[in-house]
Amino acid sequence: MELRQLRYLVALADEGHFTRAAARERVAQPALSQQIRKLEDELGVALFDRTTRRVAPTEAGTLLIARARRILAEVDDAGAELRQLTGLVAGRVTIGLTQTPGPFDLPRLLAAFHADFPLVELAVREDLSTVLAEQLRADTLDLAFVSLAQQEQSRGLVLHPLAREPLVVVLPSAHRLAHRRQLTIGELREEEFVGFSEGATIRDAVRRSALAAGFEPRIAFETREVARARAFVAEGLGVAVLPRSDATAPGPPVRIAALREPSLVHGISLAWREGKRHSPAARALHEQAQRRARLRH
């Protein structure tokens, strides 16, 4: 079993296609296919199911891919640590970002980090916090900025809190409750909501609060984009519950009311897999995020 075979294995799992995997690894497609077949022959098991439409890992392939990711991460980290001995921090950090980062300014953090460590390649993936948590556990992400409110969602992860802010009610300017400065979740019983996608942390928090108040919130419009949620509200398509920083950011005119009984808090944490050994580049980003979070308080 060779390191290049493990790299080809992971690339094929990620891309689901021999040609794309070969392009990613900068080798000819027949060469990549040959090495995968050689690895399968050596192990005596099929690692991928191949059809005319897709390539998918078998059960054995899934097990080996998970180990291969960790082996390759260790090899990459070792090289990065050796480079660090000469004062050079380089490498690649793959970062997850929740679609509702609230008050934490990731673009500014990454710009400052890139200025300090120009040889580090940064890759950012946006998704629901629950999806990012699974990717952290699978080692397809190094770090992630997430909002995980329930303990079971953070299973197997370490979370370092960075920022917290209240969730507020966002209403159309002409709404019957637009004059109110505070609202309870119960007063939104008859409203239609602009909500985030199923599984989103804020949507789950609103639903739990509404159920405790005796009703199921009616989601009239769904989106993954905070700015779009606010735009839908501005057009009178419903009310929304958003982080305060997003509700008060420049954009179409809306009215904002504090949410009481219960008040809900949106927290952003930097997360990584328990037991993960960070590369020097990932460790440097982690430390810079912590420093920036301290400056906010």
Side-chain angles (χ1 to χ4, degrees):
M1 191 181 301
E2 302 174 9
L3 282 177
R4 64 170 174 165
Q5 292 174 328
L6 297 183
R7 293 193 187 278
Y8 295 170
L9 180 79
V10 170
L12 185 55
D14 289 345
E15 302 297 335
H17 192 279
F18 278 96
T19 302
R20 290 197 297 269
R24 167 170 147 176
E25 292 300 308
R26 299 179 182 177
V27 297
Q29 187 264 322
L32 183 138
S33 299
Q34 181 184 37
Q35 288 300 320
I36 294 294
R37 180 65 68 187
K38 182 178 177 182
L39 184 58
E40 290 177 319
D41 291 342
E42 178 185 339
L43 297 172
V45 294
L47 299 174
F48 291 93
D49 288 325
R50 301 158 173 86
T51 69
T52 55
R53 293 187 176 182
R54 70 188 187 102
V55 178
T58 62
E59 183 178 359
T62 299
L63 290 173
L64 183 58
I65 289 160
R67 286 190 174 272
R69 290 189 193 280
R70 297 194 180 187
I71 291 168
L72 293 172
E74 287 290 332
V75 171
D76 290 344
D77 290 351
E81 288 183 353
L82 290 173
R83 289 191 295 271
Q84 193 179 32
L85 292 176
T86 65
L88 181 67
V89 176
R92 189 173 194 268
V93 183
T94 305
I95 306 157
L97 175 64
T98 176
Q99 290 153 328
T100 51
F104 196 80
D105 192 343
L106 184 65
R108 181 169 293 182
L109 167 65
L110 296 187
F113 181 82
H114 181 66
D116 291 340
F117 304 101
L119 297 180
V120 176
E121 179 186 354
L122 299 171
V124 180
R125 302 176 187 171
E126 285 188 307
D127 216 316
L128 299 175
S129 289
T130 50
V131 174
L132 298 177
E134 288 300 325
Q135 293 176 352
L136 287 171
R137 284 188 278 266
D139 274 337
T140 57
L141 293 175
D142 296 306
L143 300 164
F145 296 84
V146 296
S147 174
L148 296 172
Q150 299 184 66
Q151 188 171 359
E152 63 268 23
Q153 295 174 336
S154 58
R155 172 185 52 83
L157 303 179
V158 177
L159 270 65
H160 183 92
L162 296 175
R164 287 166 59 87
E165 67 175 345
L167 293 173
V168 298
V169 183
V170 183
L171 307 135
S173 297
H175 193 277
R176 62 183 179 84
L177 298 173
H179 66 287
R180 298 280 299 278
R181 293 189 175 183
Q182 297 184 14
L183 289 169
T184 67
I185 195 73
E187 290 177 290
L188 304 176
R189 180 186 307 270
E190 303 302 322
E191 301 298 325
E192 292 187 331
F193 283 78
V194 175
F196 295 112
S197 304
E198 193 76 39
T201 305
I202 292 176
R203 175 168 171 160
D204 288 347
V206 172
R207 184 173 186 270
R208 288 195 304 272
S209 296
L211 289 176
F215 73 99
E216 176 80 44
R218 290 178 293 155
I219 307 296
F221 293 89
E222 273 190 13
T223 179
R224 286 191 166 198
E225 300 289 337
V226 178
R228 187 169 295 126
R230 175 173 164 168
F232 283 174
V233 172
E235 293 297 329
L237 298 177
V239 303
V241 176
L242 300 177
R244 183 175 58 190
S245 59
D246 295 306
T248 58
V254 292
R255 300 301 294 270
I256 299 167
L259 185 59
R260 298 286 183 263
E261 298 180 23
S263 57
L264 299 177
V265 175
H266 183 62
I268 297 296
S269 297
L270 183 62
W272 59 92
R273 178 178 58 79
E274 282 182 353
K276 185 172 181 64
R277 188 163 172 265
H278 288 311
S279 68
R283 191 160 55 246
L285 179 60
H286 177 196
E287 292 169 354
Q288 195 147 336
Q290 289 179 301
R291 286 196 300 272
R292 188 163 291 275
R294 285 195 294 268
L295 288 175
R296 293 186 68 259
H297 296 292

